[in-house]
Amino acid sequence: MDDTWQIRRSATDLDRLGETESVFALANGWVGWRGTLDEGQPYGMPGSYLNGLHERREQSYPEDGYAFPQESDTVVSAPNAALIRLWVAGEPLDLRTGTVRTHERTLDLRAGVVERHTEWISPAGHGVRIRSTRLVSLPRHAVAAVRYQVEALDDRPVEIRVCSDVLANERVPERGDDPRAASIVHDPLDAELRRPDGHRGVLVHRTDRSAQRVAVAVTHETDVPAGFTEGDDHTPDRLRMTVEGRLVPGDRLRLTKYAAYGCAPVDAGTPAELADLVTAEADAARRHGFEALLADQRAVLDERWRTADVEIDGDAELQQAVRFSVFHLLQAGRPDGDRTIAAKGLTGNGYDGHVLWDTESYVLPVLTYLLPGVARGALRWRHAHLPEARERAAELRLTGATFPWRTIGGRECSGYWPAGTAALHVNADVADAVLRYVAVTGDQGFLADTGLELLVETARLWAGYGHWSDDGAFHVTGITGPDEYAALVDDNVFTNLMVRRNLRGAADAAEGHPARAAALGVDPAEIAGWRAAADAVHLPYDRKRGVHQQAAGFTDQPEWDFAAMTDDDYPLLLHYPYLELYRRQVVKQADLVLAMQRCPGEFTAEVKARNFAYYQARTVRDSSLSAGSQAVLAAELGHLDLAYDLFAEAALHDLADLGDKTSDGLHLAALAGAWTAVVEGFGGLRDDTGVLAFDPRLPAPIDRLAFHLRWHGQRLRVTLTRDEARYELPDADPTTTVELRHAGEPVTVTGRAAVTRPMPPVPDPGPEPPSPHGRRPARRA
């Protein structure tokens, strides 16, 4: 097996359990199981998640204010059906005791399973071999399953007891050392119904304040030697099925558990109805069989990998890391529009399980090209929550719709105004995701039915929020851009450019769908106003330094003393007051650089180079969002060594736990940044004009790069070598054509034959721009 398709952990790594649990998480957009040990102990942070399952809690303010959110939503764990506990001669299997002869777990990225092999000798000297396989089914959205097998290691019999549990209200440890950690709601689930029945059973619980009901049903298959007995017991928060007996050498005990989850509003039906639904799903999975579930899982992933795989020749570690990144993106989303993708997906409780701007700005740009149906579903979820966004806009005395900075159920959950409510760019980010989806897919039906209303309501926000100065410029003031170390600024370039794109996109869409626009109350005068504001958007520029100001006045602020910093001072937000951060030229994450990535046509090559050098020297990358975007601009400008090192930082952020935060869940935006660094950076993909364009270049360590993407229903394959770029449509009939640009040259690709072009020359960028002292990404060479 190619090791770049597998992630292995060969040691017990008891001090890194939380990190491993996140890395080994399995999900399908509906259900998520963290990669905890089968026995449940020891653990870093247990978690069994349903997308959208949360509890509501009161916000607390030292001094309250008008329109401060009074409640916040926090993700809570569903009843955990992954647990299978083992006692060996009366002693519980616990890797912290006894002797661990072998312990290896493998995340198989092609098969979509986690496999485990352990050989353990108890403190009393009894040895067992455990093998297990678990999956969260991609084709059966309610279903997860685990197969657990035990054999005796010794030449003597041993008493074995296996308990298969479903446990609600697991204890989740609190982390008070970091404001980004989740707020824990203890015992969030109230028991409503339980039906234990030997091999089968179901638990139904509900939350109190968020009024959600969750049910989990399990059914088992057992393959045990003669003489074993089976039993069950239960409490309101636990179902347990037990198998016990004497295991003799050469015999094997095997237990297979099928679990099915469901979640619904309390007023959507009765507990019994939801119990019947999940019981039917679990029973159907058992009839289908574990081997069939494995085959179905592989079939779905085989089809997804046909488009999603990225091939890198020359660096096996980063080949593995990119596949790991893409795998977790492929299992994060769902196409139904009922839920979207949180910042951590279903891999952990970091950021309280909230949906942030990460989804539209980092994750959806990747999924639009790989799984466009999932991107469409995420945008439909935003559309479904337009009523709450309109209410929030009215509460803030704004026009149109104001989407929340942090949310689970559609309402604003961020109580921190400077980096929450003031970060209005989230509204333009949603609009940008709509425009990209339509450009990539050509889905005019979606634009007319869903996208147009999102574009109109966000355009109305900007038309009402911005203001005209005496010199005829359109300004957006008092907001926070992507850089959270600069709050409540005027004319943030990223925000203003995204506002321009939002306004023009809304105008174009309204003119393209006049009847639908008229039904939304759009008239020619409103469209003309949007176009006028877009044309007049102000972009602050420092003529003395020859660079854009990240926001008005930024380049006039005091510099940060980077030379005085040590590694222990980062991230700065944990060691310095925001008052100090806000007033100096220190950048948390790509902001002006992100603007150049999203809107490349708004800058000349010379200005890009000066901007990049200026902000590279001031960006500390205290956010996992940053490295991928910086890699794209570094590659475009020809700083290929720096681009490669930034790409590596994005790709390895969670696999190497570079930010010491992976235990709270994976950083999906950083994972997306790895794909972006490869495809936009080294592949040179640009999509801001609605035309598919490539300007590729390869860094020295990569001998060959190949990737695929979807464009108007076709699968395009791009292969890059030192000498040439190859474009082909492997699935298309001979008459199919795709128009694209290679290094500015129009190219027509047909289904008849591949098209090759010479690799364009890499511009001479001059010396690499300096990074802040001690903050250059680690060198790969």
Side-chain angles (χ1 to χ4, degrees), residues 307-308 364-372 375 436 439-440 675 679-680 685-688 691-694 708-711 714:
T307 300
L364 294 194
V366 178
L367 292 180
T368 296
Y369 280 110
L370 303 184
L371 287 176
R436 178 179 295 102
V440 171
W675 186 93
V679 176
E680 292 190 28
L685 169 67
R686 296 294 181 271
D687 59 11
D688 58 307
V691 176
L692 199 57
F694 298 91
H708 303 80
L709 49 83
R710 295 272 172 192
W711 181 259
Q714 300 298 322

PDB file of all heavy atoms in Angstrom, residues 307-308 364-372 375 436 439-440 675 679-680 685-688 691-694 708-711 714:
ATOM      1  N   THR A 307     -11.684  13.068  -8.971  1.00  0.00           N
ATOM      2  CA  THR A 307     -11.568  14.514  -9.163  1.00  0.00           C
ATOM      3  C   THR A 307     -10.656  15.152  -8.134  1.00  0.00           C
ATOM      4  O   THR A 307      -9.908  16.081  -8.446  1.00  0.00           O
ATOM      5  CB  THR A 307     -12.953  15.180  -9.084  1.00  0.00           C
ATOM      6  OG1 THR A 307     -13.792  14.646 -10.098  1.00  0.00           O
ATOM      7  CG2 THR A 307     -12.848  16.695  -9.264  1.00  0.00           C
ATOM      8  N   ALA A 308     -10.684  14.657  -6.914  1.00  0.00           N
ATOM      9  CA  ALA A 308     -10.072  15.388  -5.801  1.00  0.00           C
ATOM     10  C   ALA A 308      -8.587  15.126  -5.615  1.00  0.00           C
ATOM     11  O   ALA A 308      -7.904  15.928  -4.979  1.00  0.00           O
ATOM     12  CB  ALA A 308     -10.811  15.051  -4.502  1.00  0.00           C
ATOM     13  N   LEU A 364     -15.199  26.540   0.695  1.00  0.00           N
ATOM     14  CA  LEU A 364     -16.024  26.454  -0.511  1.00  0.00           C
ATOM     15  C   LEU A 364     -15.260  26.714  -1.801  1.00  0.00           C
ATOM     16  O   LEU A 364     -15.590  26.097  -2.833  1.00  0.00           O
ATOM     17  CB  LEU A 364     -17.231  27.387  -0.403  1.00  0.00           C
ATOM     18  CG  LEU A 364     -18.264  27.044   0.669  1.00  0.00           C
ATOM     19  CD1 LEU A 364     -19.555  27.821   0.443  1.00  0.00           C
ATOM     20  CD2 LEU A 364     -18.547  25.551   0.739  1.00  0.00           C
ATOM     21  N   PRO A 365     -14.248  27.598  -1.827  1.00  0.00           N
ATOM     22  CA  PRO A 365     -13.489  27.714  -3.078  1.00  0.00           C
ATOM     23  C   PRO A 365     -12.867  26.398  -3.534  1.00  0.00           C
ATOM     24  O   PRO A 365     -12.688  26.184  -4.733  1.00  0.00           O
ATOM     25  CB  PRO A 365     -12.416  28.758  -2.735  1.00  0.00           C
ATOM     26  CG  PRO A 365     -13.056  29.616  -1.705  1.00  0.00           C
ATOM     27  CD  PRO A 365     -13.865  28.652  -0.872  1.00  0.00           C
ATOM     28  N   VAL A 366     -12.532  25.515  -2.587  1.00  0.00           N
ATOM     29  CA  VAL A 366     -12.014  24.196  -2.953  1.00  0.00           C
ATOM     30  C   VAL A 366     -13.154  23.272  -3.360  1.00  0.00           C
ATOM     31  O   VAL A 366     -13.122  22.638  -4.427  1.00  0.00           O
ATOM     32  CB  VAL A 366     -11.212  23.589  -1.789  1.00  0.00           C
ATOM     33  CG1 VAL A 366     -10.709  22.194  -2.158  1.00  0.00           C
ATOM     34  CG2 VAL A 366     -10.050  24.495  -1.406  1.00  0.00           C
ATOM     35  N   LEU A 367     -14.185  23.174  -2.541  1.00  0.00           N
ATOM     36  CA  LEU A 367     -15.273  22.242  -2.818  1.00  0.00           C
ATOM     37  C   LEU A 367     -16.056  22.621  -4.064  1.00  0.00           C
ATOM     38  O   LEU A 367     -16.642  21.748  -4.717  1.00  0.00           O
ATOM     39  CB  LEU A 367     -16.202  22.156  -1.607  1.00  0.00           C
ATOM     40  CG  LEU A 367     -15.588  21.499  -0.363  1.00  0.00           C
ATOM     41  CD1 LEU A 367     -16.595  21.462   0.778  1.00  0.00           C
ATOM     42  CD2 LEU A 367     -15.079  20.097  -0.666  1.00  0.00           C
ATOM     43  N   THR A 368     -16.097  23.900  -4.412  1.00  0.00           N
ATOM     44  CA  THR A 368     -16.769  24.299  -5.644  1.00  0.00           C
ATOM     45  C   THR A 368     -16.144  23.596  -6.843  1.00  0.00           C
ATOM     46  O   THR A 368     -16.840  23.236  -7.796  1.00  0.00           O
ATOM     47  CB  THR A 368     -16.704  25.822  -5.822  1.00  0.00           C
ATOM     48  OG1 THR A 368     -17.437  26.437  -4.751  1.00  0.00           O
ATOM     49  CG2 THR A 368     -17.312  26.262  -7.140  1.00  0.00           C
ATOM     50  N   TYR A 369     -14.830  23.366  -6.807  1.00  0.00           N
ATOM     51  CA  TYR A 369     -14.135  22.694  -7.901  1.00  0.00           C
ATOM     52  C   TYR A 369     -14.125  21.176  -7.764  1.00  0.00           C
ATOM     53  O   TYR A 369     -13.922  20.472  -8.755  1.00  0.00           O
ATOM     54  CB  TYR A 369     -12.699  23.199  -7.986  1.00  0.00           C
ATOM     55  CG  TYR A 369     -12.569  24.521  -8.688  1.00  0.00           C
ATOM     56  CD1 TYR A 369     -12.238  25.676  -7.990  1.00  0.00           C
ATOM     57  CD2 TYR A 369     -12.781  24.621 -10.056  1.00  0.00           C
ATOM     58  CE1 TYR A 369     -12.119  26.902  -8.649  1.00  0.00           C
ATOM     59  CE2 TYR A 369     -12.672  25.833 -10.722  1.00  0.00           C
ATOM     60  CZ  TYR A 369     -12.332  26.965 -10.013  1.00  0.00           C
ATOM     61  OH  TYR A 369     -12.226  28.155 -10.670  1.00  0.00           O
ATOM     62  N   LEU A 370     -14.312  20.662  -6.542  1.00  0.00           N
ATOM     63  CA  LEU A 370     -14.220  19.219  -6.318  1.00  0.00           C
ATOM     64  C   LEU A 370     -15.575  18.563  -6.104  1.00  0.00           C
ATOM     65  O   LEU A 370     -15.852  17.500  -6.669  1.00  0.00           O
ATOM     66  CB  LEU A 370     -13.322  18.931  -5.104  1.00  0.00           C
ATOM     67  CG  LEU A 370     -11.901  19.489  -5.145  1.00  0.00           C
ATOM     68  CD1 LEU A 370     -11.120  19.040  -3.924  1.00  0.00           C
ATOM     69  CD2 LEU A 370     -11.183  19.077  -6.427  1.00  0.00           C
ATOM     70  N   LEU A 371     -16.411  19.143  -5.275  1.00  0.00           N
ATOM     71  CA  LEU A 371     -17.762  18.635  -4.978  1.00  0.00           C
ATOM     72  C   LEU A 371     -18.742  19.805  -5.050  1.00  0.00           C
ATOM     73  O   LEU A 371     -19.208  20.303  -4.019  1.00  0.00           O
ATOM     74  CB  LEU A 371     -17.800  18.002  -3.584  1.00  0.00           C
ATOM     75  CG  LEU A 371     -17.121  16.646  -3.393  1.00  0.00           C
ATOM     76  CD1 LEU A 371     -17.181  16.244  -1.919  1.00  0.00           C
ATOM     77  CD2 LEU A 371     -17.766  15.575  -4.259  1.00  0.00           C
ATOM     78  N   PRO A 372     -19.049  20.265  -6.252  1.00  0.00           N
ATOM     79  CA  PRO A 372     -19.877  21.477  -6.353  1.00  0.00           C
ATOM     80  C   PRO A 372     -21.250  21.346  -5.695  1.00  0.00           C
ATOM     81  O   PRO A 372     -21.805  22.343  -5.232  1.00  0.00           O
ATOM     82  CB  PRO A 372     -19.995  21.708  -7.867  1.00  0.00           C
ATOM     83  CG  PRO A 372     -19.587  20.420  -8.504  1.00  0.00           C
ATOM     84  CD  PRO A 372     -18.614  19.780  -7.568  1.00  0.00           C
ATOM     85  N   ALA A 375     -20.871  22.555  -2.165  1.00  0.00           N
ATOM     86  CA  ALA A 375     -20.795  24.018  -2.117  1.00  0.00           C
ATOM     87  C   ALA A 375     -22.187  24.626  -2.294  1.00  0.00           C
ATOM     88  O   ALA A 375     -22.560  25.575  -1.597  1.00  0.00           O
ATOM     89  CB  ALA A 375     -19.840  24.526  -3.197  1.00  0.00           C
ATOM     90  N   ARG A 436     -18.596  32.646  -7.412  1.00  0.00           N
ATOM     91  CA  ARG A 436     -17.652  31.615  -7.842  1.00  0.00           C
ATOM     92  C   ARG A 436     -18.389  30.335  -8.215  1.00  0.00           C
ATOM     93  O   ARG A 436     -18.090  29.710  -9.246  1.00  0.00           O
ATOM     94  CB  ARG A 436     -16.630  31.322  -6.750  1.00  0.00           C
ATOM     95  CG  ARG A 436     -15.646  30.210  -7.126  1.00  0.00           C
ATOM     96  CD  ARG A 436     -14.616  29.944  -6.056  1.00  0.00           C
ATOM     97  NE  ARG A 436     -13.746  31.096  -5.872  1.00  0.00           N
ATOM     98  CZ  ARG A 436     -13.855  31.962  -4.877  1.00  0.00           C
ATOM     99  NH1 ARG A 436     -14.808  31.791  -3.961  1.00  0.00           N
ATOM    100  NH2 ARG A 436     -13.040  32.984  -4.781  1.00  0.00           N
ATOM    101  N   ALA A 439     -19.972  30.771 -11.576  1.00  0.00           N
ATOM    102  CA  ALA A 439     -18.979  30.828 -12.643  1.00  0.00           C
ATOM    103  C   ALA A 439     -18.415  29.445 -12.946  1.00  0.00           C
ATOM    104  O   ALA A 439     -18.198  29.094 -14.113  1.00  0.00           O
ATOM    105  CB  ALA A 439     -17.849  31.784 -12.260  1.00  0.00           C
ATOM    106  N   VAL A 440     -18.189  28.632 -11.919  1.00  0.00           N
ATOM    107  CA  VAL A 440     -17.576  27.320 -12.102  1.00  0.00           C
ATOM    108  C   VAL A 440     -18.568  26.309 -12.662  1.00  0.00           C
ATOM    109  O   VAL A 440     -18.215  25.459 -13.485  1.00  0.00           O
ATOM    110  CB  VAL A 440     -16.971  26.821 -10.782  1.00  0.00           C
ATOM    111  CG1 VAL A 440     -16.520  25.368 -10.878  1.00  0.00           C
ATOM    112  CG2 VAL A 440     -15.796  27.703 -10.370  1.00  0.00           C
ATOM    113  N   TRP A 675      -4.595  22.730  -0.459  1.00  0.00           N
ATOM    114  CA  TRP A 675      -5.037  22.555  -1.852  1.00  0.00           C
ATOM    115  C   TRP A 675      -4.891  23.861  -2.619  1.00  0.00           C
ATOM    116  O   TRP A 675      -4.424  23.876  -3.761  1.00  0.00           O
ATOM    117  CB  TRP A 675      -6.485  22.090  -1.869  1.00  0.00           C
ATOM    118  CG  TRP A 675      -7.035  21.731  -3.225  1.00  0.00           C
ATOM    119  CD1 TRP A 675      -7.050  20.497  -3.805  1.00  0.00           C
ATOM    120  CD2 TRP A 675      -7.659  22.618  -4.162  1.00  0.00           C
ATOM    121  NE1 TRP A 675      -7.646  20.557  -5.043  1.00  0.00           N
ATOM    122  CE2 TRP A 675      -8.029  21.847  -5.290  1.00  0.00           C
ATOM    123  CE3 TRP A 675      -7.947  23.977  -4.163  1.00  0.00           C
ATOM    124  CZ2 TRP A 675      -8.680  22.400  -6.409  1.00  0.00           C
ATOM    125  CZ3 TRP A 675      -8.586  24.536  -5.275  1.00  0.00           C
ATOM    126  CH2 TRP A 675      -8.945  23.754  -6.372  1.00  0.00           C
ATOM    127  N   VAL A 679      -2.906  24.382  -6.109  1.00  0.00           N
ATOM    128  CA  VAL A 679      -3.638  24.599  -7.355  1.00  0.00           C
ATOM    129  C   VAL A 679      -3.608  26.062  -7.780  1.00  0.00           C
ATOM    130  O   VAL A 679      -3.425  26.374  -8.963  1.00  0.00           O
ATOM    131  CB  VAL A 679      -5.081  24.079  -7.212  1.00  0.00           C
ATOM    132  CG1 VAL A 679      -5.893  24.376  -8.467  1.00  0.00           C
ATOM    133  CG2 VAL A 679      -5.063  22.574  -6.928  1.00  0.00           C
ATOM    134  N   GLU A 680      -3.809  26.990  -6.845  1.00  0.00           N
ATOM    135  CA  GLU A 680      -3.719  28.406  -7.196  1.00  0.00           C
ATOM    136  C   GLU A 680      -2.277  28.893  -7.214  1.00  0.00           C
ATOM    137  O   GLU A 680      -1.926  29.754  -8.016  1.00  0.00           O
ATOM    138  CB  GLU A 680      -4.538  29.247  -6.211  1.00  0.00           C
ATOM    139  CG  GLU A 680      -6.038  29.041  -6.313  1.00  0.00           C
ATOM    140  CD  GLU A 680      -6.814  30.059  -5.487  1.00  0.00           C
ATOM    141  OE1 GLU A 680      -6.309  31.188  -5.279  1.00  0.00           O
ATOM    142  OE2 GLU A 680      -7.921  29.720  -5.024  1.00  0.00           O
ATOM    143  N   LEU A 685      -3.950  28.751 -10.915  1.00  0.00           N
ATOM    144  CA  LEU A 685      -5.371  28.924 -11.206  1.00  0.00           C
ATOM    145  C   LEU A 685      -5.867  30.279 -10.720  1.00  0.00           C
ATOM    146  O   LEU A 685      -5.594  30.681  -9.587  1.00  0.00           O
ATOM    147  CB  LEU A 685      -6.178  27.817 -10.515  1.00  0.00           C
ATOM    148  CG  LEU A 685      -7.702  27.994 -10.495  1.00  0.00           C
ATOM    149  CD1 LEU A 685      -8.276  27.885 -11.902  1.00  0.00           C
ATOM    150  CD2 LEU A 685      -8.352  26.982  -9.565  1.00  0.00           C
ATOM    151  N   ARG A 686      -6.598  30.972 -11.565  1.00  0.00           N
ATOM    152  CA  ARG A 686      -7.297  32.203 -11.178  1.00  0.00           C
ATOM    153  C   ARG A 686      -8.723  32.121 -11.703  1.00  0.00           C
ATOM    154  O   ARG A 686      -8.966  31.647 -12.821  1.00  0.00           O
ATOM    155  CB  ARG A 686      -6.605  33.445 -11.750  1.00  0.00           C
ATOM    156  CG  ARG A 686      -5.198  33.673 -11.207  1.00  0.00           C
ATOM    157  CD  ARG A 686      -5.199  34.011  -9.721  1.00  0.00           C
ATOM    158  NE  ARG A 686      -3.865  34.252  -9.209  1.00  0.00           N
ATOM    159  CZ  ARG A 686      -3.061  33.303  -8.706  1.00  0.00           C
ATOM    160  NH1 ARG A 686      -3.472  32.040  -8.660  1.00  0.00           N
ATOM    161  NH2 ARG A 686      -1.860  33.606  -8.264  1.00  0.00           N
ATOM    162  N   ASP A 687      -9.676  32.599 -10.890  1.00  0.00           N
ATOM    163  CA  ASP A 687     -11.079  32.474 -11.266  1.00  0.00           C
ATOM    164  C   ASP A 687     -11.875  33.751 -11.027  1.00  0.00           C
ATOM    165  O   ASP A 687     -13.101  33.733 -11.018  1.00  0.00           O
ATOM    166  CB  ASP A 687     -11.735  31.327 -10.500  1.00  0.00           C
ATOM    167  CG  ASP A 687     -11.680  31.501  -8.982  1.00  0.00           C
ATOM    168  OD1 ASP A 687     -11.315  32.592  -8.499  1.00  0.00           O
ATOM    169  OD2 ASP A 687     -11.998  30.542  -8.265  1.00  0.00           O
ATOM    170  N   ASP A 688     -11.189  34.884 -10.852  1.00  0.00           N
ATOM    171  CA  ASP A 688     -11.894  36.111 -10.477  1.00  0.00           C
ATOM    172  C   ASP A 688     -12.667  36.725 -11.623  1.00  0.00           C
ATOM    173  O   ASP A 688     -13.559  37.550 -11.403  1.00  0.00           O
ATOM    174  CB  ASP A 688     -10.900  37.137  -9.917  1.00  0.00           C
ATOM    175  CG  ASP A 688      -9.791  37.473 -10.895  1.00  0.00           C
ATOM    176  OD1 ASP A 688      -9.136  36.533 -11.384  1.00  0.00           O
ATOM    177  OD2 ASP A 688      -9.568  38.665 -11.165  1.00  0.00           O
ATOM    178  N   VAL A 691     -13.387  33.313 -16.040  1.00  0.00           N
ATOM    179  CA  VAL A 691     -12.678  32.547 -17.067  1.00  0.00           C
ATOM    180  C   VAL A 691     -11.647  31.676 -16.367  1.00  0.00           C
ATOM    181  O   VAL A 691     -10.924  32.125 -15.476  1.00  0.00           O
ATOM    182  CB  VAL A 691     -11.983  33.487 -18.079  1.00  0.00           C
ATOM    183  CG1 VAL A 691     -11.171  32.672 -19.092  1.00  0.00           C
ATOM    184  CG2 VAL A 691     -13.009  34.353 -18.791  1.00  0.00           C
ATOM    185  N   LEU A 692     -11.574  30.412 -16.771  1.00  0.00           N
ATOM    186  CA  LEU A 692     -10.612  29.491 -16.181  1.00  0.00           C
ATOM    187  C   LEU A 692      -9.228  29.847 -16.708  1.00  0.00           C
ATOM    188  O   LEU A 692      -8.970  29.786 -17.917  1.00  0.00           O
ATOM    189  CB  LEU A 692     -10.983  28.068 -16.566  1.00  0.00           C
ATOM    190  CG  LEU A 692     -10.424  26.925 -15.733  1.00  0.00           C
ATOM    191  CD1 LEU A 692     -10.806  27.067 -14.268  1.00  0.00           C
ATOM    192  CD2 LEU A 692     -10.925  25.595 -16.280  1.00  0.00           C
ATOM    193  N   ALA A 693      -8.317  30.233 -15.817  1.00  0.00           N
ATOM    194  CA  ALA A 693      -7.001  30.700 -16.238  1.00  0.00           C
ATOM    195  C   ALA A 693      -5.920  30.049 -15.389  1.00  0.00           C
ATOM    196  O   ALA A 693      -6.094  29.876 -14.174  1.00  0.00           O
ATOM    197  CB  ALA A 693      -6.914  32.219 -16.120  1.00  0.00           C
ATOM    198  N   PHE A 694      -4.800  29.691 -16.040  1.00  0.00           N
ATOM    199  CA  PHE A 694      -3.674  29.071 -15.358  1.00  0.00           C
ATOM    200  C   PHE A 694      -2.389  29.784 -15.767  1.00  0.00           C
ATOM    201  O   PHE A 694      -2.204  30.129 -16.933  1.00  0.00           O
ATOM    202  CB  PHE A 694      -3.550  27.587 -15.729  1.00  0.00           C
ATOM    203  CG  PHE A 694      -4.734  26.752 -15.342  1.00  0.00           C
ATOM    204  CD1 PHE A 694      -5.789  26.570 -16.237  1.00  0.00           C
ATOM    205  CD2 PHE A 694      -4.807  26.165 -14.100  1.00  0.00           C
ATOM    206  CE1 PHE A 694      -6.891  25.811 -15.886  1.00  0.00           C
ATOM    207  CE2 PHE A 694      -5.909  25.400 -13.744  1.00  0.00           C
ATOM    208  CZ  PHE A 694      -6.951  25.225 -14.637  1.00  0.00           C
ATOM    209  N   HIS A 708      -7.081  17.692 -10.645  1.00  0.00           N
ATOM    210  CA  HIS A 708      -8.302  17.766 -11.433  1.00  0.00           C
ATOM    211  C   HIS A 708      -9.200  18.831 -10.828  1.00  0.00           C
ATOM    212  O   HIS A 708      -9.090  19.166  -9.646  1.00  0.00           O
ATOM    213  CB  HIS A 708      -9.066  16.437 -11.418  1.00  0.00           C
ATOM    214  CG  HIS A 708      -8.280  15.266 -11.895  1.00  0.00           C
ATOM    215  ND1 HIS A 708      -7.367  14.608 -11.100  1.00  0.00           N
ATOM    216  CD2 HIS A 708      -8.266  14.630 -13.093  1.00  0.00           C
ATOM    217  CE1 HIS A 708      -6.830  13.603 -11.783  1.00  0.00           C
ATOM    218  NE2 HIS A 708      -7.353  13.606 -12.993  1.00  0.00           N
ATOM    219  N   LEU A 709     -10.126  19.296 -11.621  1.00  0.00           N
ATOM    220  CA  LEU A 709     -11.190  20.157 -11.111  1.00  0.00           C
ATOM    221  C   LEU A 709     -12.378  20.088 -12.050  1.00  0.00           C
ATOM    222  O   LEU A 709     -12.260  19.674 -13.218  1.00  0.00           O
ATOM    223  CB  LEU A 709     -10.699  21.593 -10.924  1.00  0.00           C
ATOM    224  CG  LEU A 709      -9.946  22.295 -12.051  1.00  0.00           C
ATOM    225  CD1 LEU A 709     -10.908  22.878 -13.074  1.00  0.00           C
ATOM    226  CD2 LEU A 709      -9.059  23.379 -11.479  1.00  0.00           C
ATOM    227  N   ARG A 710     -13.523  20.453 -11.513  1.00  0.00           N
ATOM    228  CA  ARG A 710     -14.765  20.463 -12.281  1.00  0.00           C
ATOM    229  C   ARG A 710     -14.987  21.859 -12.867  1.00  0.00           C
ATOM    230  O   ARG A 710     -14.803  22.866 -12.178  1.00  0.00           O
ATOM    231  CB  ARG A 710     -15.942  20.101 -11.389  1.00  0.00           C
ATOM    232  CG  ARG A 710     -15.894  18.688 -10.838  1.00  0.00           C
ATOM    233  CD  ARG A 710     -16.544  17.716 -11.783  1.00  0.00           C
ATOM    234  NE  ARG A 710     -16.358  16.339 -11.369  1.00  0.00           N
ATOM    235  CZ  ARG A 710     -16.628  15.309 -12.139  1.00  0.00           C
ATOM    236  NH1 ARG A 710     -17.077  15.504 -13.373  1.00  0.00           N
ATOM    237  NH2 ARG A 710     -16.429  14.074 -11.703  1.00  0.00           N
ATOM    238  N   TRP A 711     -15.391  21.888 -14.126  1.00  0.00           N
ATOM    239  CA  TRP A 711     -15.701  23.162 -14.785  1.00  0.00           C
ATOM    240  C   TRP A 711     -16.886  22.935 -15.714  1.00  0.00           C
ATOM    241  O   TRP A 711     -16.803  22.192 -16.672  1.00  0.00           O
ATOM    242  CB  TRP A 711     -14.485  23.683 -15.562  1.00  0.00           C
ATOM    243  CG  TRP A 711     -14.724  24.999 -16.245  1.00  0.00           C
ATOM    244  CD1 TRP A 711     -15.004  25.209 -17.564  1.00  0.00           C
ATOM    245  CD2 TRP A 711     -14.736  26.294 -15.632  1.00  0.00           C
ATOM    246  NE1 TRP A 711     -15.186  26.539 -17.822  1.00  0.00           N
ATOM    247  CE2 TRP A 711     -15.017  27.239 -16.640  1.00  0.00           C
ATOM    248  CE3 TRP A 711     -14.530  26.748 -14.328  1.00  0.00           C
ATOM    249  CZ2 TRP A 711     -15.101  28.602 -16.393  1.00  0.00           C
ATOM    250  CZ3 TRP A 711     -14.614  28.113 -14.082  1.00  0.00           C
ATOM    251  CH2 TRP A 711     -14.890  29.017 -15.095  1.00  0.00           C
ATOM    252  N   GLN A 714     -17.656  19.361 -16.543  1.00  0.00           N
ATOM    253  CA  GLN A 714     -16.575  18.547 -17.080  1.00  0.00           C
ATOM    254  C   GLN A 714     -15.450  18.396 -16.052  1.00  0.00           C
ATOM    255  O   GLN A 714     -15.222  19.277 -15.235  1.00  0.00           O
ATOM    256  CB  GLN A 714     -16.017  19.177 -18.362  1.00  0.00           C
ATOM    257  CG  GLN A 714     -17.034  19.329 -19.467  1.00  0.00           C
ATOM    258  CD  GLN A 714     -17.594  17.987 -19.919  1.00  0.00           C
ATOM    259  OE1 GLN A 714     -16.888  16.987 -19.999  1.00  0.00           O
ATOM    260  NE2 GLN A 714     -18.895  17.971 -20.220  1.00  0.00           N
TER     261      GLN A 714
END
